[in-house]
Amino acid sequence: DAGASTKNEGTITLTDTWTNNGSLSGRGGFVLNYATDKSFKAGSPTIGFLRKTGIGAALVNGSLYPTDSLMLLNGAIKMNATDTVVIRNTRITAAPTSYVEGLVAHIGTGDRLFPLGKDGRYLPVKLIKLNASRATASGDSAHRTGRNKSRGNSAEASTA
């Protein structure tokens, strides 16, 4: 319900749709163990961690800012066109059977992995020694704009 408040200090494991139209607080996170495609709306972009397991896709409504870790073990995280997975000093684990379909942004410098994919294909982008304050990549945007068609990925970095 709108207006409801959820505090998560542990792990919420989901096998079905989760829709939080209220607020979310706490350092806890979510395990999305979907056997088939299911919707996920955290209630707040900031979550402690996100672990994707199960072959079904997580159809995410709302941006996500995992503060501890993003673990992609199986299945896709499919973001809405206007939403972003924003990563700042977050540990990332990505298996070849799991990826983010949509926009991923890194804040900070150093080596950065963008665990991207589309249509069942894992197509990661890794930027080495990035010297920008923010970098954004999307497998989907390359498909739409025609950039880098052979890999299906694009990346942009800025110091702004």
Side-chain angles (χ1 to χ4, degrees):
D1 281 334
S5 178
T6 302
K7 185 169 186 175
N8 179 9
E9 293 294 344
T11 301
I12 298 175
T13 300
L14 303 171
T15 58
D16 208 344
T17 294
W18 171 277
T19 302
N20 179 356
N21 289 319
S23 65
L24 176 70
S25 63
R27 296 176 305 213
F30 293 89
V31 176
L32 307 180
N33 188 14
Y34 295 160
T36 59
D37 295 1
K38 302 287 182 184
S39 297
F40 175 75
K41 182 178 180 183
S44 168
T46 303
I47 58 177
F49 65 88
L50 183 64
R51 183 179 312 134
K52 176 63 188 81
T53 63
I55 61 172
L59 310 172
V60 178
N61 182 358
S63 292
L64 296 173
Y65 310 157
T67 58
D68 177 66
S69 59
L70 175 63
M71 295 164 276
L72 304 171
L73 304 174
N74 201 2
I77 293 177
K78 295 184 178 183
M79 303 299 294
N80 282 335
T82 57
D83 297 323
T84 306
V85 176
V86 178
I87 299 168
R88 179 192 299 252
N89 299 322
T90 303
R91 290 177 289 138
I92 301 173
T93 303
T97 58
S98 192
Y99 55 85
V100 175
E101 184 174 315
L103 197 60
V104 176
H106 273 279
I107 297 174
T109 60
D111 295 354
R112 298 293 183 225
L113 171 65
F114 294 85
L116 301 172
K118 184 161 175 62
D119 298 330
R121 295 180 49 193
Y122 177 56
L123 303 164
V125 171
K126 186 166 187 179
L127 301 178
I128 307 296
K129 297 181 183 177
L130 176 68
N131 189 15
S133 59
R134 180 180 174 106
T136 306
S138 169
D140 191 47
S141 68
H143 177 72
R144 286 194 313 265
T145 62
R147 288 181 287 172
N148 198 8
K149 286 184 181 178
S150 63
R151 294 188 182 259
N153 293 315
S154 67
E156 300 174 7
S158 72
T159 55

